[in-house]
Amino acid sequence: MLQVQPLLVIRNSVLFPHMVVPITAGRDRSIAAVEAALEGDRTLVVVTQRDLSLEEPGQDDLYNIGTRVTIQKATRGQNGFQVVLQGVERVRLVKLEPGKPYLQARIQPMPIQEDNSPAVEALHRSVLDLSGELLSLLGQTQRQGAQALLDQLTSQLTDPMQLAYYIAGFMKLDIEKEQQVLEASSRLEALELIHRFLAHELEVQQVRQRISSQVQSEMGKEQKDYLLRQQMRAIQNELGEDDSEKAEIEMLREKLDEAQLPEDARKEADRELKRLERLNPASPDHSLTRGYLELLAELPWQKNTDDNHDLKRARAILDEDHFGLKTVKERILEHLAVMKLNSGAKAPIVLLVGPPGVGKTSLGQSIARALERKFERLSLGGLHDEAELRGHRRTYIGALPGRLIQAVRRAGVKNPVLMLDEVDKIGSSYRGDPASALLEVIDPAQNDKFRDNYLDLPFDLSKALFILTANTTDSIPRPLLDRMEVIRLSGYSEEEKLQIARRYLLPRVLKEAGIGTEQVQVDDPTLGFVVARYTREAGVRELERTLAKLVRKLALRFAEGDPDEIIDLKADQVSELLGPERYQPESARQEKHPGVATGLAWTEVGGDVLYVESLPLPGGTGLTLTGQLGDVMKESAQAALSYVQSKARNYGLTERTFRNEGIHVHVPAGAIPKDGPSAGVTMAVSLLSAYTGVPARKDLAMTGEITLTGLVLPVGGIKEKVLAARRLGIHTIILPCENEKDLRELPDNVRAEMEFHPVAHLDDVFAIALPDLERRGLSIVQSLAS
């Protein structure tokens, strides 16, 4: 039968049957409900609201299952009623009844059927066991109150449901979990819920206690170590024994005295020494401060090496270590001569630019050997963090000095040769721009007071000789490039590579393999065969690896056979040992097709031959460019087409030809990006050849930038381009007049073999590259006269 009772809504807890709980009724409806119950049979229905923020919840905002209670005690105060409630039984909220100043609820009792099965009995006992384990982990104050409750549960409360409700109330679970226990439909379900909640809480308390014990153990060990250390120090003082810590500090003080620190560095060192004496040796700051003082003591504040200014000796060392590079060696000797005449002059900042493997790094080592200075190399390739150069501030964990200060520390002198390798491959990121940090490092006006973040003191780097290397200057910021003296190293010719292999590489790889130079005889044709058929590079790294592979094959032969055998190596034996030839002899295109012209290009690994193909498109329009061309190269093609169109009548072409036909220009090797202005003359010759149908000379290659008026402007990389043409058997070169001076960089034998045509205007280029125009009645002389 349904009953109607006053309804008291609570927020932060669930009231269970059989429990006695004090509650404050402060809301108007709650006060009115308590008053109505006191006027009647002192009975209320208590339910919990779902949303704690609501002041006047409706039926949908309340849980459906609550508890019928009786008021044991009620006291009226300023803020409402203080009541003591005792739970009687579970009820289900059927419907709220309106019409009163308080909430009334039509309820239905929900008794739980008795169940004395073995499963209930087992869960009952297990819950009691878990409760005991949980109590053993609680604090002393909590343990006393909880133990009294447990004694009451085990002795007085034999009903499993009463046990479940009391434990749920004692654990102060979340409202949702407490409501689950209240809504359980059977004793088994209620005990299972309580068992699960108890097991989880027990695990949490065990982890907390384990963490707390570990922390206390660590703290106890540190305190114990500190006390023992203090006691040991007191005993040593009583016995008059040396204090090792004091001895080490005194030793550090002596090193600082010997280092002859500048005044500001000495003040900082004294301050840190006093701090070190006060620090506990077990403190992390102790090791940091000591490391900083050791750095101050080991830096060469006043130490220098005396330079050897014997230029004859320096020239001999450069010639001994490097073959060729005549111009580069002269530039280096010029700098050394200035340093000899003016010892107080600022050290030059030299940037060696050239393809990989041409000897940039070894040149730096040779300079250091010639000057009898210490040499340190720093690789900057892929560097993204400015702190790698300037160091980290000592406030950071694991802070270290920058690479520059570390290099000077390793060198032990303040005037070493510092080689900053691969400066063109420096990156930048959110950590800073290392290239910008280099501006201070290599500027003689600033680096005499270089301040490392870790050192935090000015250090003089102006006496160091900085040598930087790069493969190209394109990626080097302009402000950084302006501070350096650029010396360019070109690629080697095949003759130079043969001599380098003969003098340096072959003896080196034979020595590394443990083979005497007299045991392996290699003549020049065989070495030339290795150079031409197994390598293709501007430098000699691949050549050295190939020779090393060849020598390892011979080493295996010596190890398995007669170790005293003498081998006279020939080209056919090289093919057997190294396998099929990697490169076949290059040759220029033999077919004479209209629209094909031979150009020359420069890359980071040397020169290359570039063919430009043009094809008229009847019915097409405009200029089509393919071959992965960059913006500069596209503009060169457009300029070449405009010039050819402007001179169309001079070569027997009509405006209708350009109006009714498009033109397609393609540069083969389409997978390789290409850019630069030096293909301008080649594109102009290709376009004119395509429109007139006159093939260009196949024995000729050309390079040069053009303007809309037909002027031919100078370009770079002449030596590499000429060597690339020579490899293909092309011995006639068209180049800008202003590049004629660059021919002096070529070896004498190469200049003697080649025929050069310096030109100043495109018409001169057409006259040389398209001689058949005259035989077809299209006289270049007549076009110039007009």
Side-chain angles (χ1 to χ4, degrees), residues 91-108:
V91 295
R92 182 167 63 87
L93 187 64
V94 178
K95 183 181 179 182
L96 292 183
E97 296 291 341
K100 299 288 185 180
Y102 54 88
L103 292 176
Q104 285 190 115
R106 191 173 295 277
I107 60 171
Q108 179 180 9

PDB file of all heavy atoms in Angstrom, residues 91-108:
ATOM      1  N   VAL A  91      12.707   2.751   0.677  1.00  0.00           N
ATOM      2  CA  VAL A  91      11.438   3.016   0.002  1.00  0.00           C
ATOM      3  C   VAL A  91      11.732   3.485  -1.416  1.00  0.00           C
ATOM      4  O   VAL A  91      12.829   3.975  -1.732  1.00  0.00           O
ATOM      5  CB  VAL A  91      10.621   4.096   0.756  1.00  0.00           C
ATOM      6  CG1 VAL A  91      10.197   3.614   2.123  1.00  0.00           C
ATOM      7  CG2 VAL A  91      11.391   5.392   0.840  1.00  0.00           C
ATOM      8  N   ARG A  92      10.707   3.336  -2.257  1.00  0.00           N
ATOM      9  CA  ARG A  92      10.796   3.817  -3.636  1.00  0.00           C
ATOM     10  C   ARG A  92       9.899   5.032  -3.786  1.00  0.00           C
ATOM     11  O   ARG A  92       8.748   5.024  -3.355  1.00  0.00           O
ATOM     12  CB  ARG A  92      10.370   2.732  -4.608  1.00  0.00           C
ATOM     13  CG  ARG A  92      10.488   3.149  -6.074  1.00  0.00           C
ATOM     14  CD  ARG A  92      10.353   1.931  -6.975  1.00  0.00           C
ATOM     15  NE  ARG A  92       9.032   1.318  -6.824  1.00  0.00           N
ATOM     16  CZ  ARG A  92       7.939   1.702  -7.522  1.00  0.00           C
ATOM     17  NH1 ARG A  92       8.024   2.703  -8.405  1.00  0.00           N
ATOM     18  NH2 ARG A  92       6.782   1.105  -7.336  1.00  0.00           N
ATOM     19  N   LEU A  93      10.420   6.062  -4.394  1.00  0.00           N
ATOM     20  CA  LEU A  93       9.674   7.300  -4.608  1.00  0.00           C
ATOM     21  C   LEU A  93       8.782   7.103  -5.828  1.00  0.00           C
ATOM     22  O   LEU A  93       9.274   6.963  -6.949  1.00  0.00           O
ATOM     23  CB  LEU A  93      10.656   8.456  -4.834  1.00  0.00           C
ATOM     24  CG  LEU A  93      10.057   9.857  -4.921  1.00  0.00           C
ATOM     25  CD1 LEU A  93       9.419  10.255  -3.606  1.00  0.00           C
ATOM     26  CD2 LEU A  93      11.149  10.871  -5.298  1.00  0.00           C
ATOM     27  N   VAL A  94       7.464   7.083  -5.575  1.00  0.00           N
ATOM     28  CA  VAL A  94       6.514   6.848  -6.672  1.00  0.00           C
ATOM     29  C   VAL A  94       6.115   8.160  -7.331  1.00  0.00           C
ATOM     30  O   VAL A  94       6.136   8.298  -8.559  1.00  0.00           O
ATOM     31  CB  VAL A  94       5.268   6.105  -6.157  1.00  0.00           C
ATOM     32  CG1 VAL A  94       4.255   5.908  -7.283  1.00  0.00           C
ATOM     33  CG2 VAL A  94       5.668   4.757  -5.556  1.00  0.00           C
ATOM     34  N   LYS A  95       5.750   9.161  -6.507  1.00  0.00           N
ATOM     35  CA  LYS A  95       5.242  10.395  -7.085  1.00  0.00           C
ATOM     36  C   LYS A  95       5.316  11.492  -6.029  1.00  0.00           C
ATOM     37  O   LYS A  95       5.148  11.252  -4.843  1.00  0.00           O
ATOM     38  CB  LYS A  95       3.787  10.214  -7.540  1.00  0.00           C
ATOM     39  CG  LYS A  95       3.178  11.426  -8.213  1.00  0.00           C
ATOM     40  CD  LYS A  95       1.729  11.143  -8.604  1.00  0.00           C
ATOM     41  CE  LYS A  95       1.108  12.371  -9.263  1.00  0.00           C
ATOM     42  NZ  LYS A  95      -0.328  12.138  -9.615  1.00  0.00           N
ATOM     43  N   LEU A  96       5.604  12.720  -6.473  1.00  0.00           N
ATOM     44  CA  LEU A  96       5.560  13.873  -5.589  1.00  0.00           C
ATOM     45  C   LEU A  96       4.141  14.423  -5.549  1.00  0.00           C
ATOM     46  O   LEU A  96       3.488  14.566  -6.595  1.00  0.00           O
ATOM     47  CB  LEU A  96       6.527  14.967  -6.078  1.00  0.00           C
ATOM     48  CG  LEU A  96       8.019  14.652  -5.996  1.00  0.00           C
ATOM     49  CD1 LEU A  96       8.842  15.849  -6.447  1.00  0.00           C
ATOM     50  CD2 LEU A  96       8.421  14.234  -4.594  1.00  0.00           C
ATOM     51  N   GLU A  97       3.667  14.756  -4.354  1.00  0.00           N
ATOM     52  CA  GLU A  97       2.306  15.273  -4.171  1.00  0.00           C
ATOM     53  C   GLU A  97       2.368  16.783  -3.950  1.00  0.00           C
ATOM     54  O   GLU A  97       3.031  17.265  -3.014  1.00  0.00           O
ATOM     55  CB  GLU A  97       1.627  14.614  -2.973  1.00  0.00           C
ATOM     56  CG  GLU A  97       1.401  13.117  -3.117  1.00  0.00           C
ATOM     57  CD  GLU A  97       0.355  12.790  -4.155  1.00  0.00           C
ATOM     58  OE1 GLU A  97      -0.445  13.691  -4.499  1.00  0.00           O
ATOM     59  OE2 GLU A  97       0.340  11.655  -4.627  1.00  0.00           O
ATOM     60  N   PRO A  98       1.714  17.588  -4.760  1.00  0.00           N
ATOM     61  CA  PRO A  98       1.751  19.043  -4.601  1.00  0.00           C
ATOM     62  C   PRO A  98       0.747  19.503  -3.522  1.00  0.00           C
ATOM     63  O   PRO A  98       0.014  18.714  -2.946  1.00  0.00           O
ATOM     64  CB  PRO A  98       1.336  19.548  -5.977  1.00  0.00           C
ATOM     65  CG  PRO A  98       0.435  18.488  -6.512  1.00  0.00           C
ATOM     66  CD  PRO A  98       0.962  17.177  -5.958  1.00  0.00           C
ATOM     67  N   GLY A  99       0.743  20.836  -3.305  1.00  0.00           N
ATOM     68  CA  GLY A  99      -0.266  21.430  -2.429  1.00  0.00           C
ATOM     69  C   GLY A  99       0.223  21.779  -1.060  1.00  0.00           C
ATOM     70  O   GLY A  99      -0.539  22.277  -0.236  1.00  0.00           O
ATOM     71  N   LYS A 100       1.455  21.541  -0.715  1.00  0.00           N
ATOM     72  CA  LYS A 100       1.995  21.861   0.592  1.00  0.00           C
ATOM     73  C   LYS A 100       3.220  22.767   0.416  1.00  0.00           C
ATOM     74  O   LYS A 100       3.882  22.758  -0.643  1.00  0.00           O
ATOM     75  CB  LYS A 100       2.415  20.577   1.339  1.00  0.00           C
ATOM     76  CG  LYS A 100       1.277  19.606   1.608  1.00  0.00           C
ATOM     77  CD  LYS A 100       0.345  20.137   2.696  1.00  0.00           C
ATOM     78  CE  LYS A 100      -0.731  19.091   3.032  1.00  0.00           C
ATOM     79  NZ  LYS A 100      -1.639  19.606   4.092  1.00  0.00           N
ATOM     80  N   PRO A 101       3.594  23.524   1.482  1.00  0.00           N
ATOM     81  CA  PRO A 101       4.823  24.338   1.375  1.00  0.00           C
ATOM     82  C   PRO A 101       6.078  23.494   1.391  1.00  0.00           C
ATOM     83  O   PRO A 101       7.167  24.004   1.225  1.00  0.00           O
ATOM     84  CB  PRO A 101       4.736  25.252   2.607  1.00  0.00           C
ATOM     85  CG  PRO A 101       3.877  24.532   3.575  1.00  0.00           C
ATOM     86  CD  PRO A 101       2.864  23.781   2.758  1.00  0.00           C
ATOM     87  N   TYR A 102       5.938  22.219   1.625  1.00  0.00           N
ATOM     88  CA  TYR A 102       7.091  21.302   1.582  1.00  0.00           C
ATOM     89  C   TYR A 102       6.770  20.194   0.590  1.00  0.00           C
ATOM     90  O   TYR A 102       5.634  20.012   0.148  1.00  0.00           O
ATOM     91  CB  TYR A 102       7.347  20.722   2.974  1.00  0.00           C
ATOM     92  CG  TYR A 102       6.139  20.060   3.593  1.00  0.00           C
ATOM     93  CD1 TYR A 102       5.842  18.709   3.371  1.00  0.00           C
ATOM     94  CD2 TYR A 102       5.278  20.802   4.405  1.00  0.00           C
ATOM     95  CE1 TYR A 102       4.732  18.120   3.931  1.00  0.00           C
ATOM     96  CE2 TYR A 102       4.155  20.213   4.963  1.00  0.00           C
ATOM     97  CZ  TYR A 102       3.889  18.874   4.729  1.00  0.00           C
ATOM     98  OH  TYR A 102       2.784  18.283   5.263  1.00  0.00           O
ATOM     99  N   LEU A 103       7.773  19.422   0.259  1.00  0.00           N
ATOM    100  CA  LEU A 103       7.569  18.322  -0.665  1.00  0.00           C
ATOM    101  C   LEU A 103       6.969  17.128   0.062  1.00  0.00           C
ATOM    102  O   LEU A 103       7.387  16.785   1.175  1.00  0.00           O
ATOM    103  CB  LEU A 103       8.911  17.910  -1.306  1.00  0.00           C
ATOM    104  CG  LEU A 103       9.563  18.922  -2.259  1.00  0.00           C
ATOM    105  CD1 LEU A 103      10.916  18.396  -2.723  1.00  0.00           C
ATOM    106  CD2 LEU A 103       8.655  19.173  -3.468  1.00  0.00           C
ATOM    107  N   GLN A 104       5.926  16.546  -0.585  1.00  0.00           N
ATOM    108  CA  GLN A 104       5.349  15.303  -0.092  1.00  0.00           C
ATOM    109  C   GLN A 104       5.583  14.217  -1.140  1.00  0.00           C
ATOM    110  O   GLN A 104       5.542  14.483  -2.336  1.00  0.00           O
ATOM    111  CB  GLN A 104       3.840  15.458   0.129  1.00  0.00           C
ATOM    112  CG  GLN A 104       3.462  16.246   1.366  1.00  0.00           C
ATOM    113  CD  GLN A 104       1.993  16.154   1.639  1.00  0.00           C
ATOM    114  OE1 GLN A 104       1.541  15.620   2.636  1.00  0.00           O
ATOM    115  NE2 GLN A 104       1.178  16.674   0.714  1.00  0.00           N
ATOM    116  N   ALA A 105       5.818  13.006  -0.678  1.00  0.00           N
ATOM    117  CA  ALA A 105       6.101  11.925  -1.604  1.00  0.00           C
ATOM    118  C   ALA A 105       5.197  10.743  -1.317  1.00  0.00           C
ATOM    119  O   ALA A 105       4.980  10.377  -0.159  1.00  0.00           O
ATOM    120  CB  ALA A 105       7.564  11.504  -1.495  1.00  0.00           C
ATOM    121  N   ARG A 106       4.670  10.183  -2.414  1.00  0.00           N
ATOM    122  CA  ARG A 106       3.937   8.929  -2.298  1.00  0.00           C
ATOM    123  C   ARG A 106       4.987   7.831  -2.459  1.00  0.00           C
ATOM    124  O   ARG A 106       5.672   7.759  -3.474  1.00  0.00           O
ATOM    125  CB  ARG A 106       2.872   8.843  -3.382  1.00  0.00           C
ATOM    126  CG  ARG A 106       1.884   7.678  -3.176  1.00  0.00           C
ATOM    127  CD  ARG A 106       0.761   7.755  -4.194  1.00  0.00           C
ATOM    128  NE  ARG A 106      -0.064   8.947  -3.991  1.00  0.00           N
ATOM    129  CZ  ARG A 106      -1.059   9.020  -3.117  1.00  0.00           C
ATOM    130  NH1 ARG A 106      -1.359   7.985  -2.348  1.00  0.00           N
ATOM    131  NH2 ARG A 106      -1.765  10.134  -2.983  1.00  0.00           N
ATOM    132  N   ILE A 107       5.138   6.967  -1.466  1.00  0.00           N
ATOM    133  CA  ILE A 107       6.250   6.014  -1.427  1.00  0.00           C
ATOM    134  C   ILE A 107       5.723   4.601  -1.331  1.00  0.00           C
ATOM    135  O   ILE A 107       4.570   4.363  -0.956  1.00  0.00           O
ATOM    136  CB  ILE A 107       7.178   6.304  -0.241  1.00  0.00           C
ATOM    137  CG1 ILE A 107       6.399   6.192   1.072  1.00  0.00           C
ATOM    138  CG2 ILE A 107       7.842   7.667  -0.370  1.00  0.00           C
ATOM    139  CD1 ILE A 107       7.276   6.261   2.310  1.00  0.00           C
ATOM    140  N   GLN A 108       6.650   3.693  -1.646  1.00  0.00           N
ATOM    141  CA  GLN A 108       6.332   2.255  -1.542  1.00  0.00           C
ATOM    142  C   GLN A 108       7.515   1.568  -0.880  1.00  0.00           C
ATOM    143  O   GLN A 108       8.655   1.685  -1.341  1.00  0.00           O
ATOM    144  CB  GLN A 108       6.106   1.654  -2.937  1.00  0.00           C
ATOM    145  CG  GLN A 108       5.792   0.171  -2.892  1.00  0.00           C
ATOM    146  CD  GLN A 108       5.569  -0.397  -4.286  1.00  0.00           C
ATOM    147  OE1 GLN A 108       5.818   0.289  -5.266  1.00  0.00           O
ATOM    148  NE2 GLN A 108       5.085  -1.602  -4.352  1.00  0.00           N
TER     149      GLN A 108
END
